[in-house]
Amino acid sequence: MEKKVVSLEDRIPKLQQQRKQKTNRRLISFLSVFFFLVLLVIYFQSPLSKVDSISVQGNETLDSNKMIEMSGITTSTGFWSINAEKIKNAFGNQLQIKEVTVQRKLPNHIVLVIEEHESIAYLESDGSYLPILESGQVLKDRKENVPADAPLLINWKKEEDIKEMISELKKLSPGIFNSISEIHHTPTKTDPWLVRLYMNDGFEVIATVRTFSKKMDSYPAIISQLDNHDTGVIHLEVGSYFEAVDTIETKGEQNEDENEIEG
């Protein structure tokens, strides 16, 4: 079999063409990078690289303008130079804020997405009501009229006691939680965690904070066994039993008679 012999004269044009194509590709790559860098410089020197507008989403009780001011973002802030962690830290002293997310919307719009802590109860204080957040923090600078969307905490003095109560409330099912109107702190020498609840259905409940959520799980089952006309107190401190109002009144009368005899 004969081998085909390619002369040097035939090979040189092909080599030259290949070298020329390779050189052209390098030149195109270089020019592409060069123009890209030029465009970047122009972009970062233009107003397009700055924040043009800012909006706030997710805030229900917090003022949007105040949130924008606290973020420190202005129309002179670089769109790509915003530090999300720094923005989050700027809201660190706001008790109501649970989470802050910074979103970039091209070409140059910034969105601050605010997630607030929910108000899970209200603390009665000198005739006004202070929201208590799900974190257990009390908003002392925000007073409201009588609220109807969460239980009222009455006679609660210590912050740690309030946090303990809120922790138990968060464990309740929505049905039981929504049936509570007021929670009075009624500590005794034997039980500093004793509470008396006034329910929306007219019943009263005596319980202790340390076993509150566990004991309250049985509340629907207990009232389902009672007559609609029954009134009284449901005891959930240790055991679980119902004390009719007639029994309570009889005990009161007996105590008064004993006091008269002793007198």
Side-chain angles (χ1 to χ4, degrees), residues 23-24 47 55 81 88 177 191 219 255:
T23 302
N24 289 339
S55 62
S81 63
K88 291 179 182 180
F177 176 84
D191 187 358
Y219 180 78
N255 291 334

Side-chain angles (χ1 to χ4, degrees), residues 205-208 211 215-216 218 222 234-242:
V205 176
I206 295 179
T208 183
T211 59
K215 290 286 188 176
M216 284 297 291
S218 62
I222 293 173
I234 298 172
H235 290 262
L236 300 176
E237 308 99 295
V238 181
S240 300
Y241 65 95
F242 174 71

Side-chain angles (χ1 to χ4, degrees), residues 77-129:
T77 303
F79 184 70
W80 298 106
S81 63
I82 292 174
N83 187 319
E85 285 302 318
K86 187 177 180 181
I87 300 300
K88 291 179 182 180
N89 293 335
F91 295 97
N93 62 344
Q94 287 291 312
L95 299 178
Q96 288 169 265
I97 294 181
K98 185 176 184 179
E99 184 65 45
V100 178
T101 305
V102 181
Q103 296 181 351
R104 293 180 176 87
K105 302 287 185 180
L106 296 175
N108 48 9
H109 178 65
I110 294 294
V111 181
L112 297 175
V113 182
I114 307 292
E115 183 181 358
E116 296 183 12
H117 283 291
E118 293 183 16
S119 295
I120 198 168
Y122 292 85
L123 178 67
E124 191 277 332
S125 177
D126 298 327
S128 60
Y129 301 91

Side-chain angles (χ1 to χ4, degrees), residues 42-175:
I42 294 173
Y43 171 77
F44 283 109
Q45 294 296 323
S46 72
L48 286 175
S49 67
K50 306 297 181 182
V51 174
D52 178 63
S53 57
I54 312 164
S55 62
V56 182
Q57 295 179 0
N59 56 317
E60 296 181 3
T61 61
L62 297 168
D63 180 69
S64 295
N65 291 329
K66 183 179 179 181
M67 295 299 96
I68 293 173
E69 183 181 349
M70 289 186 64
S71 72
I73 302 174
T74 67
T75 52
S76 62
T77 303
F79 184 70
W80 298 106
S81 63
I82 292 174
N83 187 319
E85 285 302 318
K86 187 177 180 181
I87 300 300
K88 291 179 182 180
N89 293 335
F91 295 97
N93 62 344
Q94 287 291 312
L95 299 178
Q96 288 169 265
I97 294 181
K98 185 176 184 179
E99 184 65 45
V100 178
T101 305
V102 181
Q103 296 181 351
R104 293 180 176 87
K105 302 287 185 180
L106 296 175
N108 48 9
H109 178 65
I110 294 294
V111 181
L112 297 175
V113 182
I114 307 292
E115 183 181 358
E116 296 183 12
H117 283 291
E118 293 183 16
S119 295
I120 198 168
Y122 292 85
L123 178 67
E124 191 277 332
S125 177
D126 298 327
S128 60
Y129 301 91
L130 310 177
I132 307 175
L133 304 175
E134 57 184 329
S135 61
Q137 299 284 348
V138 179
L139 296 180
K140 297 179 181 179
D141 59 345
R142 209 183 99 197
K143 298 181 180 181
E144 298 189 8
N145 296 325
V146 181
D149 60 336
L152 303 180
L153 267 60
I154 298 173
N155 196 37
W156 293 80
K157 307 299 182 184
K158 297 180 180 179
E159 184 177 339
E160 56 267 28
D161 294 347
I162 295 172
K163 287 185 176 181
E164 191 78 23
M165 186 70 252
I166 294 300
S167 176
E168 289 296 305
L169 283 174
K170 288 164 63 177
K171 298 175 186 177
L172 297 178
S173 66

